[in-house]
């Protein structure tokens, strides 16, 4: 380890962790995840979980982590649903009616925040269109979403991911791919993608835990979201090869990770070595 990398790692006080492909894959927790988190605590490093997957509510995610044996509090959990709600509150304070292309769990979180979910009805006109990773996608709702997008309504996407990592023999088509479908039908891209690599979601984490970007690392398996978010925020962007990204992808990418590790176990070992 060179002196510059050692100094960067020694300064880390908080680690923001991607979830699927980083601490688990699908419904399978990696065997090194719990020891890694315990190691962070032993080193006095706080951690949070940051996901671009809006299909579940915060409570659902916490429940899943607990079932996998991973400790997590509400304060440690950040999702693109939360970030999207915060964005709408800030930039569209008068908006109340949303056409939500998303799962019932995601929709419930918006409703709990005070928003009305519009029906698949041309008379039920929304203030804003929100497209997300919708694992319950219904064709008629996709078409209705395209209709509202074509009418020029504010159009927000929760995340740009093309696919969602899985341990099953299938391809999980994610929000970025759904938005590409809508672009093909309407000629229009989302006005903004809220999730990673937009660094705003990470700035919210920094503010809550009280660290500067130079004292934080974001760790994930996607070079174009996780790593890019860290770099965009001025933090370390650490790539792990336990999920979507391969070294072949790294070699063709214009994003250069601060550090590439086999998995979070190796990253934990480097953090410890930097503190010796």
């Amino acid at each position: 380890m060179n002196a510059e990398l050692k100094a960067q790692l020694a300064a880390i006080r908080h680690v923001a962790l991607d979830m699927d492909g980083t601490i688990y894959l699908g419904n399978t927790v990696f065997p090194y995840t719990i020891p890694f988190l315990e190691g962070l605590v032993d080193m006095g490093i706080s951690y949070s979980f940051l996901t671009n997957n809006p299909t579940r509510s915060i409570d659902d995610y916490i429940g899943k982590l607990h079932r996998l044996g991973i400790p997590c509090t509400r304060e440690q959990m950040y999702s693109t649903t939360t970030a999207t709600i915060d964005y709408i509150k800030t930039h569209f304070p008068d908006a109340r009616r949303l056409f939500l292309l998303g799962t019932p769990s995601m929709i419930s979180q918006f409703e709990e925040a005070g928003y009305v979910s519009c029906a698949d009805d041309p008379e039920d006109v929304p203030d804003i269109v929100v497209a997300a990773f919708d694992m319950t996608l219904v064709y008629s709702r996709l078409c209705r979403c395209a209709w509202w997008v074509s009418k020029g309504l504010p159009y927000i996407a929760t995340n740009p991911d093309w696919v969602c990592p899985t341990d099953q023999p299938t391809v999980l088509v994610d929000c970025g791919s759904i938005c590409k479908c809508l672009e093909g039908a309407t000629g229009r891209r989302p006005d903004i993608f809220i999730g990673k690599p937009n660094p705003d979601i990470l700035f919210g984490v920094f503010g809550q835990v009280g660290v500067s970007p130079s004292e934080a690392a974001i760790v994930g398996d996607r070079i174009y979201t996780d790593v890019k978010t860290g770099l965009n925020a001025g933090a370390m962007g650490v790539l792990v090869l336990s999920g979507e990204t391969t070294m072949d992808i790294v070699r063709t990418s214009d994003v250069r990770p601060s550090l590439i590790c086999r998995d979070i176990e190796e990253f934990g070992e480097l953090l410890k070595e930097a503190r010796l």
Side-chain angles (χ1 to χ4, degrees):
M1 184 187 312
N2 63 47
E4 181 181 357
L5 177 59
K6 183 172 183 177
Q8 282 183 296
L9 291 172
I12 297 300
R13 295 176 48 219
H14 184 82
V15 174
L17 291 156
D18 173 56
M19 298 172 67
D20 214 340
T22 301
I23 61 172
Y24 58 72
L25 191 62
N27 290 305
T28 305
V29 64
F30 293 130
Y32 43 74
T33 294
I34 304 299
F36 169 78
L37 296 176
E38 292 172 345
L40 291 182
V41 173
D42 290 343
M43 288 182 280
I45 300 172
S46 60
Y47 61 87
S48 57
F49 301 106
L50 194 64
T51 178
N52 256 15
N53 187 334
T55 59
R56 296 182 175 92
S57 68
I58 293 295
D59 288 337
D60 287 340
Y61 269 117
I62 293 173
K64 175 173 182 175
L65 290 175
H66 286 176
R67 287 192 298 275
L68 292 175
I70 301 171
C72 177
T73 65
R74 285 190 68 85
E75 292 71 29
Q76 290 175 301
M77 185 72 244
Y78 300 86
S79 76
T80 52
T81 301
T82 304
T84 302
I85 289 169
D86 289 343
Y87 179 86
I88 293 173
K89 285 181 177 179
T90 300
H91 295 276
F92 300 93
D94 297 327
R96 288 293 176 269
R97 303 178 59 76
L98 309 177
F99 188 86
L100 298 161
L101 197 66
T103 62
S105 181
M106 185 201 82
I107 291 172
S108 70
Q109 195 168 339
F110 276 92
E111 291 175 336
E112 288 169 7
Y115 294 101
V116 174
S117 174
C118 292
D120 179 7
D121 183 336
E123 302 302 319
D124 198 1
V125 183
D127 299 314
I128 298 172
V129 178
V130 177
F133 174 26
D134 189 359
M135 299 176 74
T136 60
L137 187 62
V138 174
Y139 181 70
S140 64
R141 286 188 60 81
L142 178 66
C143 294
R144 183 67 57 204
C145 184
W147 172 252
W148 294 129
V149 168
S150 74
K151 293 303 173 183
L153 294 178
Y155 171 28
I156 298 170
T158 57
N159 58 293
D161 306 65
W162 295 107
V163 298
C164 180
T166 179
D167 57 355
Q168 300 302 307
T170 188
V171 174
L172 297 180
V173 176
D174 211 324
C175 182
S177 298
I178 292 172
C179 290
K180 200 66 176 176
C181 171
L182 291 169
E183 182 183 347
T186 68
R188 187 176 169 201
R189 301 183 66 193
D191 301 332
I192 186 172
F193 285 97
I194 296 297
K196 300 175 284 186
N198 187 331
D200 288 347
I201 191 171
L202 201 54
F203 291 141
V205 176
F206 294 165
Q208 181 160 326
V209 300
V211 299
S212 65
S214 62
E215 297 172 315
I218 179 167
V219 183
D221 69 304
R222 291 179 171 180
I223 197 167
Y224 65 96
T225 54
D226 303 314
V227 171
K228 197 169 183 179
T229 303
L231 300 179
N232 287 346
M236 286 193 75
V238 180
L239 176 69
V240 289
L241 302 175
S242 51
E244 177 181 313
T245 303
T246 64
M247 285 305 299
D248 285 340
I249 294 174
V250 172
R251 282 187 282 270
T252 59
S253 174
D254 58 356
V255 179
R256 292 290 173 259
S258 308
L259 180 64
I260 301 174
C261 295
R262 177 190 68 249
D263 47 41
I264 55 173
E265 181 179 39
E266 182 179 5
F267 178 57
E269 292 167 354
L270 291 174
L271 285 171
K272 291 176 184 177
E273 182 180 342
R275 282 159 169 74
L276 294 177

